[in-house]
Structures are given as structure tokens and as C-alpha cells.
Amino acid sequence: MRYQKILVTGGAGFIGTNFVRYLLEHYQGVEITVLDKLTYSGNLENLADLSTKRLNVVVGDVCDASLVCQLVQSVDAVINFAAESHNDNSLADPRPFLDTNIIGTYTLLEAVRKYHVFYHHVSTDEVFGDLSIDSTARFQEESRYQPSSPYSATKASSDHLVRAWVRSFGIQATISNSSNNYGPYQYVEKLIPRTIATIISGANPQVFGSGKQVRDWLHVTDHVRGLLAVLEKGESGQTYLFSANCQLSNLTVLQKIMRQLGQDPSNIVHVADRPGHDQRYALDASHTMAALDWHPVVTDFDAGLEETIAWYQNHQDWWQQAHSIVEAKYLKEGR
Ligand code: NAD
Ligand code: TDX
């Protein structure tokens, strides 16, 4: 590994947790500092069993410039997972998305500029907007930015800031845009864990609108391996795309979960559509695969889903309270 001391912002969230756990297990010499504000989606329990001298957890905000500078000056690299990450929340209240996703990124960029530290920016395919359901097109590195939601607009803004800091100030930085992740530790507001939690709790899952919208699913461990490949051999100024080219309609995903849990898929409930709902995401990751020698390992979605369902079945204490909060929120919004 090129970097021995890594600051992982947002390391108590879904992808950050999977990243920290994988890194500690597979890279013996590396020391990690997690900086996390512990918003509703951050959970220190995710890291509680990792009693290692190589992990230091700091509770704080990526917008806090003095704290960020203090932490950045003692590491070799920063990987930024800290974000407000849920589209529906960004429709209900965009402001925290501007603060964390834009000002938080700006704060980190200023710190890495000052202390000459490498920066990796974790971003999303949603910055490119959406594709028509009927086409076979996929987004590539140079596709036009055309975000649809307040969430994706703030992620697009933060990507632009990173490129500007590379070009104008010469910082060492990379960006990656990933397709939808699934796997353990994902907060139960997102499609797959929400559906699993709902069914286990004895209710019927909800699909927004027709359910024909398509998402491109990537197992979180494959994303983590890709991010580590960027840290090991990524080139500053480059963009990397992560996808397993696993495009499925939302309805298909829900039907698979219903069947795996022994339920009748005809009980899926169609509710009001998400305003501005992106129709289809799809990424062409072939350049990244060649550049980083990265390939997704979990290519059997049904098997990845089965393992994910088993994790949620075995960790009901982890999600039960959050599930009630999420469902009360959706109910208030009329879904
Ligand atoms: P998440 O919501 O599960 O985790 C976000 C983490 O950031 C939480 O631990 C939260 O407490 C922390 N955080 C929020 N605001 C903070 C702040 N101001 N300061 C410090 N910490 C703060 O999100 P996730 O799904 O793990 O996403 C991580 C990153 O990956 C995000 O940038 C997201 O845009 C990107 N991404 C996610 C997906 C996906 O499918 N989940 C796909 C592509 C890209
Ligand atoms: O209950 C639901 N029913 C439903 O039909 C939920 C929660 C979602 N949906 C639909 C909306 C989307 O078309 O399922 C699809 C997936 O929804 P989300 O899980 O909210 O993810 P999405 O909006 O696609 O964004 C995700 O992928 C890209 C992550 O939340 C982002 O952080 C990431 O950048």
C-alpha cells in the first residue's frame, strides 16, 4: 500500500464501514483515523468489535476546518465517504446536503492542499443524470454532468471542486463514481435493506411508481476493492468508474427479495413515484478495469442478495429502531 496513515471520513456509514473493516483485515501495516459526525446513518457499533491500535475514531464534522486540518496533517491520504446520501431526504430538506457534500469537500480540499496530502473523492454515477429505460447506452468517464436531484447536484458540485483543486492548485487527487451498492451495514432507508427489513417485520414492501426504473448493482466489497486499487495505483487527476454491469429494474429486485424470503411477489405495493425520479443508471467501467486491473468478484447478484438478506436476518437489533424511524418518515411523506 502506497499510504500507511489514512484518514477515512464518513467511516461509520455503509461503504465507509465496509472499507475500514476490509482495510484493517487485509493491510496489516496501515493505520486508520475515522472522522465521522455520526448523523442518523453513521453508527459506531459498526466498528466496535475492531479493538485495534491501528484504528482511531474521532467524532466530528468534515466542515470543521480546524479539526480537519489537525487530522489531515498527520496522515498520508484522505478518502472521503462523508456525505448526506439519500435522494428522498434531499427532496425533503436539501440544506444539509449543501453543507456536508459541498462545504465538507471544500474543507477537506483546503486541508490536503495545505499539508500536501493525497485525496480520494468517493462519488456516484448519479452525477451524470439518467438514461432512458429503452436504450442500451452506458455512462463513461467523459459523459456530461447532468444531475437531477438536490443530492446528485451536490455530489456533482463536489466532483467539480476536486477537479478545480487539481488543476488550479496542483493537489494530488482522484475521483471515483460508483453505481448503486448493496451489502451489509447499509442503512434501512435504501431500497434493498428497506425492503428486507419491511418484509422481516411482516409488512409488504413498496415500489415507487411503476418500478420499471433500472439501477446498476455493485456489491459493496467490490466497490471497496476498487477504492483500494485507486489508493494503490490510481493516477492523480483521473476518474474511475465502478460497476458490475448488473442492471435490474426495481420491481425485479423486489420480486427476488420477496421470493428469497418465501413471500408472494404480487403483494408488492405501488406507491407515489419519487419526484424527478431518475429512470436508469448504467456505467461502462471498462477503462477502470484495464487501468487498475480491477474486476468485480461478486458477479452473481442472486448469491450476493442471499448473503445480504442473511446478514439483515442475523442483525435485527442493528436495524430495528432505524426501520421504525424510516417508516414513520416515509408515512409522513404519504408513501
Ligand atoms: P451513508 O449515509 O451510509 O454514510 C455516510 C457517513 O457520513 C455516515 O457515517 C455519516 O455519519 C457521515 N457523515 C455525514 N455527514 C458528515 C459530516 N458533516 N462530517 C462527518 N461525517 C459525516 O452513505 P454511503 O452509502 O456509505 O455513501 C458513502 C459515499 O459513497 C457518499 O459520498 C455517497 O455519495 C457515495 N456513494 C454511495 C453509493 C451507494 O449506493 N450507497 C453509490 C455511489 C456512491
Ligand atoms: O422503498 C423504496 N422503493 C423504491 O422503489 C426505495 C427506498 C427506493 N425505491 C426506488 C428508488 C430508486 O429508483 O429504488 C431505487 C433505489 O433507491 P435508493 O436505494 O434510494 O437509491 P438511489 O436513489 O438509486 O441512490 C443510491 O445510489 C447512488 C444511493 O442512495 C446514493 O447514495 C448513490 O449515490
Side-chain angles (χ1 to χ4, degrees):
M1 168 58 71
R2 248 188 326 208
Y3 308 105
Q4 295 308 302
K5 293 184 177 188
I6 303 178
L7 177 64
V8 182
T9 56
F14 165 46
I15 307 174
T17 289
N18 280 281
F19 179 85
V20 168
R21 299 185 70 88
Y22 191 98
L23 184 55
L24 284 177
E25 190 181 336
H26 293 89
Y27 293 77
Q28 294 309 321
V30 175
E31 289 174 26
I32 297 175
T33 299
V34 164
L35 171 62
D36 200 296
K37 189 180 173 182
L38 300 183
T39 65
Y40 73 92
S41 70
N43 189 345
L44 275 190
E45 242 183 71
N46 300 352
L47 309 172
D49 60 315
L50 301 170
S51 58
T52 159
K53 289 192 179 122
R54 295 192 288 130
L55 175 64
N56 171 33
V57 179
V58 177
V59 177
D61 193 330
V62 285
C63 301
D64 178 344
S66 71
L67 174 61
V68 163
C69 279
Q70 184 195 320
L71 297 174
V72 166
Q73 62 184 298
S74 51
V75 297
D76 321 308
V78 176
I79 178 164
N80 180 22
F81 296 95
E84 287 292 337
S85 67
H86 195 45
N87 274 302
D88 291 321
N89 291 346
S90 83
L91 296 167
D93 180 15
R95 178 59 198 247
F97 290 73
L98 276 78
D99 291 335
T100 292
N101 300 0
I102 302 177
I103 301 299
T105 300
Y106 156 76
T107 308
L108 290 165
L109 289 171
E110 284 294 79
V112 299
R113 171 156 88 107
K114 187 167 177 189
Y115 296 107
H116 308 286
V117 167
F118 175 82
Y119 176 83
H120 180 71
H121 190 64
V122 180
S123 192
T124 170
D125 56 3
E126 294 192 26
V127 297
F128 301 118
D130 63 350
L131 297 157
S132 126
I133 289 178
D134 309 323
S135 81
T136 54
R138 289 187 290 166
F139 291 123
Q140 293 176 318
E141 288 81 353
E142 62 280 4
S143 294
R144 187 154 79 100
Y145 272 41
Q146 208 170 5
S148 318
S149 73
Y151 161 70
S152 49
T154 60
K155 292 299 292 185
S157 307
S158 64
D159 290 11
H160 288 318
L161 292 179
V162 177
R163 291 199 179 94
W165 260 244
V166 169
R167 174 144 176 185
S168 300
F169 302 126
I171 69 160
Q172 299 287 302
T174 43
I175 297 174
S176 58
N177 302 89
S178 166
S179 62
N180 284 56
N181 284 210
Y182 71 103
Y185 299 101
Q186 187 168 30
Y187 191 75
V188 286
E189 66 195 348
K190 304 295 195 312
L191 177 68
I192 289 181
R194 182 183 184 208
T195 300
I196 298 168
T198 299
I199 299 169
I200 294 176
S201 306
N204 291 320
Q206 301 181 351
V207 72
F208 299 165
S210 67
K212 288 184 181 159
Q213 294 79 10
V214 170
R215 296 295 181 263
D216 178 2
W217 292 100
L218 177 68
H219 194 276
V220 65
T221 313
D222 279 326
H223 187 189
V224 164
R225 283 188 274 259
L227 293 169
L228 286 163
V230 175
L231 292 185
E232 299 219 61
K233 49 190 150 186
E235 244 182 81
S236 181
Q238 292 299 307
T239 291
Y240 300 96
L241 303 184
F242 294 119
S243 154
N245 194 21
C246 173
Q247 295 179 54
L248 295 168
S249 75
N250 294 335
L251 205 50
T252 304
V253 171
L254 260 62
Q255 286 164 347
K256 284 176 183 292
I257 300 172
M258 285 295 259
R259 287 200 192 94
Q260 286 202 16
L261 283 167
Q263 301 294 311
D264 178 356
S266 67
N267 288 329
I268 294 166
V269 181
H270 288 260
V271 295
D273 209 351
R274 174 184 280 174
H277 202 168
D278 277 341
Q279 295 302 295
R280 184 170 68 89
Y281 301 141
L283 285 179
D284 173 1
S286 50
H287 289 125
T288 296
M289 290 183 185
L292 299 178
D293 193 23
W294 168 85
H295 299 274
V297 174
V298 188
T299 48
D300 180 344
F301 179 77
D302 289 354
L305 187 61
E306 195 179 327
E307 174 227 66
T308 303
I309 291 173
W311 190 88
Y312 282 89
Q313 281 175 316
N314 294 330
H315 293 81
Q316 298 193 24
D317 287 352
W318 185 86
W319 55 258
Q320 232 138 21
Q321 199 186 350
H323 175 61
S324 308
I325 294 168
V326 166
E327 293 315 311
K329 206 147 92 183
Y330 273 120
L331 195 65
K332 215 168 123 195
E333 287 169 15
R335 283 197 235 159

